[in-house]
Amino acid sequence: MPQFQDPLLLSQAVWLLIIFGVFYFVLSFFVLPRVGSVLEDRAARITADLEAARASKQQADAAMAELSAATAKARAEAQAAVAAALAEATAKAQAESDVLNAKLAEQINAAEARIATARDAAMAAIGSVATETASALVSKLMGKADANAVQAAVSRTLASRGAA
């Protein structure tokens, strides 16, 4: 092969090995350790950040649980307050209703007493009105009416009907 018969090939190969050795030495002792330390620092920072994120998540979960408990407690307290207010309003309304019912019952009793008095007065007057009417009818029909007979007949009729 003619390319291997060049006199400069041996010197090029030697320089290639020298340059390769220098690059290997520089890379292995200076560049790669720095790159390795950067990678290790980065891995440590990522791990620390992940741990911080886990801790933050646990704190957030704890805060969320605390918030849920506080919300549930506040909701229960609000429902208790509403129930108490409703019970108080119901009791107050019931008391006012009882007072009004008592007042209405008193008014009804008074009205019934007035009605009974008026009915009794009307029933008492009905006897005299019935006697006068019957006397007038008998006088018109017969010409003359016996007041005692008419009075007795009206009293019997009213007594049979339960009016007098």
Side-chain angles (χ1 to χ4, degrees), residues 3 6 20 23 58 62 69 81 89 134 143 146:
Q3 64 265 26
D6 185 15
F20 181 76
F23 277 151
Q58 288 175 351
D146 182 16

Side-chain angles (χ1 to χ4, degrees), residues 20-44:
F20 181 76
V22 169
F23 277 151
Y24 180 78
F25 177 77
V26 169
L27 284 177
S28 65
F29 287 105
F30 296 107
V31 176
L32 291 179
R34 286 184 185 171
V35 171
S37 68
V38 168
L39 289 177
E40 288 174 5
D41 288 345
R42 187 170 182 189

Side-chain angles (χ1 to χ4, degrees), residues 37-62:
S37 68
V38 168
L39 289 177
E40 288 174 5
D41 288 345
R42 187 170 182 189
R45 192 175 323 130
I46 288 172
T47 304
D49 289 346
L50 286 175
E51 289 300 320
R54 284 187 193 108
S56 295
K57 183 179 182 317
Q58 288 175 351
Q59 289 176 350
D61 290 343

